[in-house]
Amino acid sequence: MMRTRPLKVALLGCGVVGSEVARIMTTHADDLTARIGAPVELAGVAVRRPDRVREGIAPELVTTDATALVKRGDIDVVVEVIGGIEPARTLITTAFEHGASVVSANKALLAQDGAALHAAAEEHGRDLYYEAAVAGAIPLIRPLRESLAGDKINRVMGIVNGTTNFILDKMDSTGAGYQEALDEATALGYAEADPTADVEGFDAAAKAAILAAIAFHTRVRLDDVHREGMTEVTAADFASAKEMGCTIKLLAICERAEDGGSVTARVHPAMIPLSHPLASVRGAYNAVFVESDAAGQLMFYGPGAGGSPTASAVLGDIVAVCRNRIGGATGPGESAYAALPVSPMGDVVTRYHISLDVADKPGVLAQVATVFAEHGVSIDTVRQSGKDGEASLVVVTHRASDAALTGTVEALRKLDTVRGVASIMRVEGE
């Protein structure tokens, strides 16, 4: 039986994503009503600049007082798409206190204070959904929280930032340098005027924290995620990757230790074999590769940002939360029962590609190999080329810990025959 009283939605923020959420709610109103079992009504829109014309939104719905809007008491769902830590955090907790469930796309806040927000939602018997916080339109949070809830996830590895993937893909396909590729991304609207959050890995690190927390039933905060940006990746790195049959991606990697006793979360550039599914992800697209005991290997792929894709994820959450409201239930909350320790980056084990500038004379390779051996790092392949007294030495290791590799590099820098360390890059996906 169809419920006649509408479910009321308050929208906090009406930028690229918020305006698209409002548009879809209006144009698809009948379909949403049929899917939910009750009408859904946009009851208010909180903005900073009320004088701007917002097509399809009645002026009387617009307010600058977001606090008053979430305190109304008749609001069923608050949709937060303003971003940042404050006032978003206070508005969300206030919404719970006044009886509303919350749908958010705020990765930074969830990565920093997800546990507290989940606790507030549980205290007041309300939902906290955030599918749009990690990978835009790609269904990822719900499969991890629900579809794979009975499985054991061992690894989540993915491209979760479209800006960086566009830049790296352009460098790979055209031979462009970093700055040239960034300039093109900016001109096309893929990169912000200040791209720091993207290119230095902050955006991906927040998403990695959220993914690790869900996948491993463990509280993982942004501060637990090791982060390296991609601004130092060069055309020479891509040339080296191609010689190995690889490309380079900025990856978010969350994995369970082999003994199952701890987890790690990290973001950094890495070489990845062209045979791996993630290597074929082009342009500004996102993809996440999940490895679990029972399901095996799964990949989720699609547009990871933009108004319409992100709004699609938000609307999916709105439908789920509204159905829960009608049924008098709540969806999955925080699952942190495993409480596994988060290991430091030094414990992470992977392969490495190291490029050294060395003197072109006998005995150099033996010296370098001795340093690797003394630090317990096994060498897989070595390639040397040079002339006129200078040479390039490329070493690819077997799997080694980050701490062991760091010690190796520090010792290499002390050799008189090593002029410099041109680049160090991890090799993943093998």
Side-chain angles (χ1 to χ4, degrees):
M1 180 178 179
M2 182 72 68
R3 165 176 153 163
T4 56
R5 186 182 77 78
L7 291 154
K8 296 188 176 183
V9 176
L11 182 60
L12 307 183
C14 198
V16 173
V17 176
S19 59
E20 191 65 8
V21 170
R23 184 192 68 79
I24 296 173
M25 284 186 62
T26 302
T27 57
H28 295 182
D30 291 343
D31 286 338
L32 291 173
T33 297
R35 294 167 191 171
I36 292 169
V40 179
E41 173 187 304
L42 187 60
V45 181
V47 299
R48 287 184 297 174
R49 295 184 290 274
D51 297 333
R52 289 180 55 184
V53 176
R54 293 174 172 83
E55 187 176 349
I57 298 177
E60 61 269 20
L61 295 180
V62 177
T63 178
T64 58
D65 193 343
T67 300
L69 179 60
V70 300
K71 283 184 174 181
R72 273 178 38 175
D74 64 333
I75 300 297
D76 295 287
V77 183
V78 169
V79 176
E80 183 271 309
V81 287
I82 56 178
I85 305 302
E86 288 291 356
R89 174 170 48 198
T90 299
L91 290 170
I92 288 173
T93 55
T94 301
F96 290 140
E97 292 166 2
H98 288 79
S101 290
V102 173
V103 171
S104 176
N106 196 330
K107 54 189 171 287
L109 178 58
L110 288 159
Q112 178 173 305
D113 289 323
L117 295 179
H118 275 292
E122 183 177 2
E123 178 185 354
H124 297 284
R126 295 295 177 247
D127 277 322
L128 173 62
Y129 275 53
Y130 42 91
E131 185 67 67
V134 172
I138 305 172
L140 185 58
I141 301 299
R142 193 170 288 113
L144 291 178
R145 289 211 298 185
E146 300 178 33
S147 303
L148 297 174
D151 205 345
K152 179 185 178 184
I153 297 173
N154 297 310
R155 198 174 204 223
V156 179
M157 179 171 73
I159 299 162
V160 294
N161 183 278
T163 300
T164 55
N165 200 59
F166 178 89
I167 293 170
L168 292 173
D169 183 39
K170 187 61 61 174
M171 293 175 69
D172 185 27
S173 61
T174 69
Y178 166 75
Q179 189 60 50
E180 182 183 353
L182 172 60
D183 290 343
E184 182 173 350
T186 303
L188 293 172
Y190 291 123
E192 301 287 346
D194 179 0
T196 302
D198 295 323
V199 300
E200 293 295 351
F202 291 100
D203 175 84
K207 295 170 180 177
I210 295 169
L211 290 174
I214 297 171
F216 306 131
H217 305 279
T218 292
R219 287 179 178 170
V220 179
R221 300 179 73 251
L222 181 58
D223 291 345
D224 296 320
V225 181
H226 174 82
R227 176 194 56 79
E228 298 173 27
M230 48 155 281
T231 58
E232 301 300 319
V233 176
T234 66
D237 291 325
F238 274 100
S240 294
K242 287 181 179 179
E243 290 178 357
M244 291 180 58
C246 294
T247 188
I248 298 172
K249 299 293 186 182
L250 184 75
L251 297 177
I253 303 172
C254 314
E255 57 189 351
R256 192 188 300 268
E258 290 185 4
D259 64 5
S262 64
V263 299
T264 58
R266 49 196 165 102
V267 168
H268 54 72
M271 293 183 180
I272 188 167
L274 295 175
S275 58
H276 194 283
L278 290 176
S280 62
V281 179
R282 311 301 298 270
Y285 275 71
N286 285 191
V288 177
F289 199 74
V290 178
E291 300 176 29
S292 69
D293 276 0
Q297 297 178 333
L298 307 169
M299 191 168 92
F300 302 83
Y301 169 84
S308 293
T310 306
S312 170
V314 170
L315 264 295
D317 280 350
I318 290 174
V319 169
V321 169
C322 285
R323 286 172 174 169
N324 290 342
R325 296 281 285 195
I326 292 174
T330 55
E334 182 188 32
S335 175
Y337 72 89
L340 296 170
V342 181
S343 296
M345 186 63 188
D347 293 347
V348 171
V349 175
T350 188
R351 296 180 69 206
Y352 289 87
H353 176 283
I354 305 102
S355 180
L356 304 172
D357 296 325
V358 300
D360 187 13
K361 62 182 184 181
V364 172
L365 180 56
Q367 286 184 328
V368 169
T370 297
V371 170
F372 275 87
E374 289 174 346
H375 289 81
V377 179
S378 175
I379 294 175
D380 182 17
T381 62
V382 177
R383 185 176 70 253
Q384 184 173 6
S385 61
K387 61 180 180 178
D388 300 328
E390 299 296 330
S392 174
L393 189 64
V394 175
V395 178
V396 179
T397 74
H398 287 290
R399 289 172 62 83
S401 72
D402 188 82
L405 196 282
T406 299
T408 302
V409 172
E410 289 176 354
L412 288 171
R413 294 184 193 276
K414 296 176 182 178
L415 293 178
D416 292 339
T417 51
V418 174
R419 311 299 194 210
V421 180
S423 70
I424 304 169
M425 191 165 294
R426 298 173 183 87
V427 182
E428 301 285 352
E430 295 188 335

